[in-house]
Amino acid sequence: MTRHYSAFNLLREGLRGHKGWGRAWRSPEPKSAYDIVIIGGGGHGLATAHYLVRNHGITNVAVLEKGWLGGGNTGRNTTVIRSNYFYPESAALYDMSVQLYEGLSRELNYNVMFSQRGMLVTAHSEPDMEMAARQLNAMRLNGVDAELLDADQVRRFEPALNFGPNMRFPIHGGILQKRAGTGRHDAVAWGFARSADAGGVDIIQNCEVNEFIVEAGRCVGVNTSKGEIRADAIGAAVAGHSSALMKKAGVELPINSYALQAFVSEPLKPVLNSVVLCPPFGTYVSQSDKGGLVIGGGLDRVPSYGQRGNMPVQEAVLSGLAEMMPSLSKVKLLRHWAGIVDVTPDSSPIIGPSGLDGLYLDCGWGTGGFKAIPVGGWLLAHLLATGKHHEISRPFDRNRFVSGYLIDEGAASGIAH
Amino acid sequence: MQIFTCPSCGARDEREFHFSGELGKVRPNTTGEVNEEEWATYLHTQGNELGAVREVWMHMTCAELFVMERDSVTMEVLSTTPLRKDVS
Ligand SMILES: Cc1cc2nc3c(=O)[nH]c(=O)nc-3n(C[C@H](O)[C@H](O)[C@H](O)COP(=O)(O)OP(=O)(O)OC[C@H]3O[C@@H](n4cnc5c(N)ncnc54)[C@H](O)[C@@H]3O)c2cc1C
Ligand SMILES: [Zn+2]
């Protein structure tokens, strides 16, 4: 059975009619107890399992997923990976994630297709340019790379953008983070799953967690659609369903769940070099390797668990795109969908103890947690293994909502994702 | 577009409506001492229910605030009731 992916094995299997490839991961029945149980088989849950094995040598671990791997937001997102945040706490968090992504394909022996094509955020007035300079300086002070471009440089970098005389908000320049880019959503989930499985982790799909087992004030296990499973420590990474799940543990959260939508067009010849976000239009776009435009925008205006698209946002996002790049206005859409994202008051995640002993959280990533899959997994693994915060996760403890030490990225970066 | 029903104006396009918040949050009594946890709960904790929800909405074109009951999964509107008692 061939399990390692390499040019040599590809050649060898090619000569044998590709009959010898092993399964990427097993499908075991759950045991009655584990050292650690992780709820949610999205990127964050699977990365947690991988780092429990790799960083802490803990292998008696199960990941419980109610549907299929990556079927939540991980499989529905627009895959932008970047670290152009404002506050030092966020810069440390997201830049660690970008750095982990840079080595991820090799670490997992799985091509996650991290393409560092750059991300451009345009500025549309002189005050915008001043804010862009402020953002850039903050990023550099935090040790994150970025460049300030003037209008000519933007035009040379992304010639498809609208520089026409009738543009409502003419482009004055922009910030470019060259290390930012896009990845392959499925590959990130599958790569972490395959690596965790190889390390001994049981990945159990079609296994919904329905209740928590609490003894003497401590969470000691879960009741699932596949029976009772006990564990010394339990981590939850269920994104938009965090409030619903945590209610069963008696834990209330400062989270609203919203639908976030995305769109993919018919395939086109290359028109875009990078990921481009034009804040006044609330639209961002990149082009996938297959040629489709991957288009996203802001949240729905109404809290929702309805995992599907709707017209008001479609109208706003696509009219924004037509203003950003009028040459694309006749392009046809192929697909349109939504995922349910978990939004906190300060647009920063919640990582840390849940409030119920033995139960830990990695949630609240809202519209921007794909880029944070490696770091989220790293930090939740640290919490589950040691019972203590990593220095990077400590500021993101839920106690910040009581102390008032919010990390208000939504307002500071002016970026939805 | 989805159609919502304003208690004063009747059936209208969803884009005319603004979601204001969950129904039933009570502001802590500030004539007494309010501790940090109470404030934090009031400011930040959300019911965020899956299924039937009761919320305060505004119809922006007439500025009427009202209670909307809806299903947060199917988006079906179950009822809309004015917050004022004297609306005819
Ligand atoms: C349209 C869209 C675009 C986005 N674009 C970007 C982007 O460009 N860049 C970026 O960084 N982020 C983006 N995001 C956000 C990103 O997708 C998420 O933050 C990230 O994928 C969250 O990963 P996760 O593993 O925590 O959650 P998920 O991938 O949602 O996984 C959670 C899993 O938990 C499972 N689950 C839930 N309840 C239970 C239960 N009771 N028992 C067992 N399992 C359960 C679910 O089935 C699900 O598979 C976007 C999101 C959307 C919806
Ligand atoms: Zn009205």
Side-chain angles (χ1 to χ4, degrees):
Chain A
M1 210 65 100
T2 310
R3 288 205 60 154
H4 189 75
Y5 298 154
S6 66
F8 174 74
N9 279 338
L10 188 62
L11 180 69
R12 201 174 60 141
E13 283 301 326
L15 296 173
R16 303 197 306 192
H18 293 288
K19 296 220 172 78
W21 294 112
R23 283 187 166 211
W25 54 82
R26 300 161 296 134
S27 286
E29 283 306 307
K31 297 191 284 184
S32 60
Y34 291 90
D35 292 348
I36 290 173
V37 158
I38 300 157
I39 309 169
H44 281 263
L46 294 165
T48 305
H50 165 81
Y51 289 116
L52 277 170
V53 175
R54 180 180 171 279
N55 294 355
H56 305 280
I58 301 175
T59 59
N60 186 22
V61 174
V63 178
L64 311 180
E65 165 55 49
K66 74 172 172 186
W68 64 95
L69 299 187
N73 294 339
T74 300
R76 294 165 187 271
N77 85 98
T78 51
T79 76
V80 182
I81 298 166
R82 59 180 178 83
S83 58
N84 49 357
Y85 285 74
F86 186 78
Y87 290 109
E89 294 87 349
S90 320
L93 182 74
Y94 291 102
D95 207 56
M96 175 171 167
S97 209
V98 171
Q99 288 178 32
L100 288 170
Y101 260 117
E102 285 172 340
L104 201 58
S105 293
R106 183 158 293 143
E107 177 176 333
L108 299 179
N109 177 231
Y110 203 100
N111 187 0
V112 300
M113 298 169 75
F114 180 30
S115 154
Q116 292 177 290
R117 57 186 66 183
M119 175 164 182
L120 174 69
V121 183
T122 51
H124 296 257
S125 64
E126 282 314 308
D128 258 13
M129 284 301 282
E130 283 171 20
M131 290 308 281
R134 174 174 177 265
Q135 172 79 26
L136 177 104
N137 289 336
M139 286 172 64
R140 287 201 174 160
L141 281 172
N142 294 330
V144 179
D145 62 303
E147 288 164 39
L148 196 60
L149 306 187
D150 64 23
D152 271 348
Q153 289 168 310
V154 171
R155 188 200 290 253
R156 258 178 278 132
F157 184 66
E158 283 298 5
L161 282 173
N162 189 358
F163 287 92
N166 297 326
M167 190 169 186
R168 172 113 189 268
F169 302 108
I171 294 174
H172 285 235
I175 301 182
L176 174 64
Q177 185 184 24
K178 280 196 173 149
R179 275 191 313 136
T182 56
R184 172 76 203 168
H185 46 88
D186 295 328
V188 173
W190 296 341
F192 275 120
R194 176 169 167 274
S195 164
D197 175 88
V201 172
D202 283 357
I203 296 169
I204 299 156
Q205 303 183 63
N206 299 311
C207 181
E208 178 164 8
V209 171
N210 297 318
E211 274 168 22
F212 292 90
I213 306 168
V214 181
E215 285 172 5
R218 189 182 164 85
C219 187
V220 294
V222 289
N223 279 318
T224 75
S225 51
K226 296 197 175 192
E228 181 180 307
I229 304 173
R230 292 191 164 241
D232 298 337
I234 296 167
V238 300
H241 287 77
S242 296
S243 301
L245 181 68
M246 283 303 124
K247 231 163 249 170
K248 296 172 180 166
V251 172
E252 297 216 288
L253 292 173
I255 284 180
N256 267 319
S257 294
Y258 289 92
L260 178 67
Q261 305 183 39
F263 311 81
V264 166
S265 78
E266 60 188 331
L268 307 173
K269 293 248 172 80
V271 287
L272 272 174
N273 298 311
S274 62
V275 183
V276 185
L277 166 71
C278 291
F281 310 122
T283 303
Y284 65 93
V285 58
S286 67
Q287 191 168 19
S288 80
D289 295 332
K290 285 187 281 185
L293 298 172
V294 182
I295 307 156
L299 285 169
D300 275 21
R301 304 159 310 147
V302 184
S304 152
Y305 289 92
Q307 208 164 241
R308 59 193 167 272
N310 57 50
M311 293 306 288
V313 168
Q314 166 164 335
E315 196 175 40
V317 171
L318 297 180
S319 57
L321 182 71
E323 180 76 12
M324 274 166 78
M325 281 175 270
S327 56
L328 299 179
S329 60
K330 295 286 189 292
V331 171
K332 293 182 185 66
L333 287 186
L334 281 189
R335 282 174 286 136
H336 171 201
W337 67 90
I340 302 305
V341 298
D342 39 344
V343 179
T344 61
D346 59 357
S347 310
S348 288
I350 297 174
I351 312 168
S354 67
L356 176 62
D357 238 14
L359 179 60
Y360 297 86
L361 290 171
D362 169 29
C363 64
W365 292 98
T367 59
F370 178 74
K371 65 175 76 68
I373 283 173
V375 80
W378 186 291
L379 298 173
L380 183 58
H382 185 95
L383 277 154
L384 288 165
T386 66
K388 294 194 186 75
H389 266 296
H390 187 284
E391 62 181 283
I392 291 185
S393 66
R394 187 167 291 113
F396 297 95
D397 192 286
R398 60 171 302 174
N399 68 15
R400 74 178 184 274
F401 297 104
V402 177
S403 69
Y405 200 112
L406 302 189
I407 304 163
D408 198 354
E409 280 293 342
S413 65
I415 296 169
H417 299 266
Chain B
M1 304 292 166
Q2 195 176 359
I3 301 297
F4 290 164
T5 305
C6 167
S8 320
C9 316
R12 306 287 289 225
D13 185 316
E14 62 177 299
R15 288 169 298 182
E16 293 181 5
F17 294 83
H18 175 71
F19 166 76
S20 308
E22 292 176 353
L23 181 71
K25 271 200 167 185
V26 181
R27 192 170 192 272
N29 180 356
T30 47
T31 57
E33 188 71 18
V34 182
N35 68 35
E36 286 174 345
E37 266 89 22
E38 280 174 83
W39 265 125
T41 304
Y42 171 67
L43 287 176
H44 301 307
T45 302
Q46 304 291 349
N48 200 24
E49 296 291 341
L50 193 152
V53 290
R54 300 184 78 211
E55 299 162 333
V56 180
W57 284 70
M58 180 186 267
H59 185 213
M60 291 181 294
T61 47
C62 75
E64 181 74 17
L65 280 164
F66 63 95
V67 177
M68 179 145 86
E69 282 189 292
R70 60 180 185 103
D71 187 307
S72 65
V73 182
T74 64
M75 306 304 269
E76 183 188 359
V77 177
L78 305 170
S79 75
T80 53
T81 347
L83 270 171
R84 288 191 276 163
K85 298 218 168 54
D86 58 352
V87 174
S88 48

